[in-house]
Amino acid sequence: MSHAKPPANRSGNPRTTNVGGAAAPPVFPGRAPRVPGKLGDVGREVWRAVWAAGEGAYHPATDRFVIERYAELHDRRAALLREVDIDGLTTVGSTGQTVIHPALRYVESTEKELRAIETTLGLNLEARLRLGIAANAARRTTLDDILGGPDD
């Protein structure tokens, strides 16, 4: 019967990430680039939020295009959802049947692209852990902050 090796004798890749390790130095300690003029209201808000949340983790020369694409996709999603809000969730199909609004299909594909970029940028917990970004380096939000504390 085989037994597990003691930790000191193990080789190969570890199965866990270095969550408690030292924080990585900033990639770019300067200010975030200006918001691209072609972004809408939602995209501008997303642009600012991503650069602020990154706190030096992104470099304008290499990461701005990914972040810009992410903000553009948020603008697209908002426009599609506005269209659905105006028209309703369903519409009349070509043969008179009730069908789901065609824009919802594009909302779904847009959200799929957003999730992929969120993973690339480390904007969700799982991606940050996989990228080795310390969980305490992310902005902390308590449950009371989200739900409203007892004083609210």
Side-chain angles (χ1 to χ4, degrees):
M1 181 177 235
S2 64
H3 297 284
K5 291 181 185 178
N9 295 341
R10 294 179 188 162
S11 61
N13 294 325
R15 292 179 185 242
T16 60
T17 58
N18 184 15
V19 176
V27 173
F28 183 75
R31 297 180 66 180
R34 287 186 164 190
V35 177
K38 65 183 177 179
L39 293 178
D41 292 339
V42 173
R44 280 193 260 282
E45 184 179 329
V46 168
W47 174 272
R48 290 183 187 109
V50 169
W51 284 100
E55 296 183 29
Y58 309 120
H59 196 287
T62 56
D63 300 321
R64 73 174 292 127
F65 303 110
V66 176
I67 296 170
E68 184 174 342
R69 174 73 175 142
Y70 183 68
E72 288 171 347
L73 286 169
H74 271 283
D75 275 339
R76 179 196 304 170
R77 180 181 178 275
L80 289 166
L81 289 175
R82 271 193 303 274
E83 189 176 323
V84 171
D85 283 344
I86 292 168
D87 298 342
L89 290 174
T90 60
T91 188
V92 178
S94 61
T95 60
Q97 79 282 19
T98 301
V99 296
I100 194 158
H101 197 294
L104 289 174
R105 184 169 31 125
Y106 297 112
V107 169
E108 184 179 338
S109 65
T110 300
E111 289 176 346
K112 184 176 180 180
E113 290 180 63
L114 286 168
R115 284 189 297 275
I117 295 174
E118 287 168 1
T119 300
T120 300
L121 294 174
L123 295 178
N124 59 50
L125 178 60
E126 182 182 356
R128 284 192 301 272
L129 291 173
R130 192 174 319 113
L131 292 170
I133 300 171
N136 61 1
R139 294 202 187 278
R140 293 180 183 203
T141 303
T142 66
L143 190 57
D144 284 341
D145 292 336
I146 295 169
L147 300 175
D151 298 333
D152 290 342

